Amino acid sequence: MIIIQFLFGASLASFFNLVAVRTLRGESIVSPRSHCDNCNAQLENFDLIPVFSYLMLKGKCRYCKQEIPGTFFVMELMVGIAAASLDIRQVRWSFILCLLILIALSSFDIIEQKIPSKGIIGLFFICTLSCVHPVREILVALFIYAVVQLMNRKIQWMGSGDIDIYACLWLTAGMPSLLWQTFIACIAALIYLIVAPWPKNSRIPFVPFITIGYFLTYHFHDILLPLIL
């Protein structure tokens, strides 16, 4: 089951990467078949195995030797590991749906640093169904959300889509959980900035790190949440 879950998770990440690339180009996700963006050579089935094909091809196209973006490989590997580590008999449906949407939004953020509004709406819908807060707290949160968005438009210290995602995730979790998600996301982003070259525009896709924080907080909530409570 661990191997099956790993392959399933890696395949989902690969599919979301395909959807993001083709959607941003205005292309169909069904046709044409997968091909190299550099030489347009049609890829064979053994070139499309998540994680393993990248390793076997040494990160390059089989035909023109153009380098394949390493971010796709890292995302497939991390999502595969995350899926393999879950106990599907005990995991909540709301967590799975939110995680899938966050992974999909991560693909869009990595490729173009743009988050589709449809994804935000879907995340909001799922989080609303599993909301744990009374109406009074939701009204206060809406006011805070509006103020933060207005301030962010003037200062631009964070992507507005990132704020939308945090607002949605707050609906389905308490403040301690949200604090841990943010802390882990920031630590992951700092590690990324240390390892990877500093971006020219000083902007990084933050949704993948939010996703990491969301997953790890849920996975280790028995250990993390008591530290704040």
Side-chain angles (χ1 to χ4, degrees), residues 92 94 98 126-127 130-133 167-174 214:
R92 298 199 312 262
S94 58
C98 287
I126 298 300
C127 292
S130 55
C131 181
V132 297
H133 301 282
C168 292
L169 295 180
W170 173 83
L171 291 171
T172 189
Y214 177 73

Side-chain angles (χ1 to χ4, degrees), residues 5 12 14 22 36 58 92 101 119 152 163-164 176-177 208 210:
Q5 288 178 216
L12 274 178
S14 179
R22 295 202 174 188
C36 174
K58 298 180 180 180
R92 298 199 312 262
I101 294 175
N152 188 61
I163 299 174
D164 292 336
S177 177
I210 296 177

Side-chain angles (χ1 to χ4, degrees), residues 44-171:
E44 301 295 336
N45 293 332
F46 48 78
D47 294 325
L48 300 174
I49 304 173
V51 177
F52 298 102
S53 291
Y54 184 91
L55 295 175
M56 290 187 293
L57 296 173
K58 298 180 180 180
K60 297 181 180 180
C61 172
R62 182 186 300 275
Y63 308 99
C64 68
K65 306 305 178 182
Q66 175 73 17
E67 289 190 3
I68 303 171
T71 50
F72 292 167
F73 166 75
V74 173
M75 187 169 178
E76 292 172 1
L77 179 63
M78 293 185 66
V79 176
I81 294 174
S85 66
L86 290 175
D87 185 349
I88 57 177
R89 297 168 297 180
Q90 298 181 358
V91 69
R92 298 199 312 262
W93 65 270
S94 58
F95 167 76
I96 290 294
L97 292 178
C98 287
L99 184 63
L100 289 176
I101 294 175
L102 287 174
I103 293 171
L105 295 180
S106 296
S107 295
F108 281 89
D109 201 21
I110 290 172
I111 295 170
E112 195 83 5
Q113 291 193 8
K114 291 182 179 179
I115 304 175
S117 57
K118 292 181 179 178
I120 299 293
I121 294 173
L123 183 64
F124 174 76
F125 178 75
I126 298 300
C127 292
T128 300
L129 292 178
S130 55
C131 181
V132 297
H133 301 282
V135 176
R136 181 188 302 176
E137 290 185 4
I138 294 175
L139 293 176
V140 174
L142 285 174
F143 174 76
I144 297 174
Y145 165 79
V147 172
V148 171
Q149 283 286 24
L150 288 173
M151 293 175 58
N152 188 61
R153 287 186 179 181
K154 294 183 178 181
I155 304 175
Q156 196 63 37
W157 55 278
M158 189 177 189
S160 59
D162 300 333
I163 299 174
D164 292 336
I165 290 175
Y166 272 122
C168 292
L169 295 180
W170 173 83
L171 291 171

Side-chain angles (χ1 to χ4, degrees), residues 25-44:
R25 292 177 180 174
E27 300 175 353
S28 169
I29 64 172
V30 179
S31 62
R33 285 191 58 182
S34 297
H35 57 276
C36 174
D37 293 331
N38 185 57
C39 65
N40 290 321
Q42 183 173 298
L43 303 181
E44 301 295 336

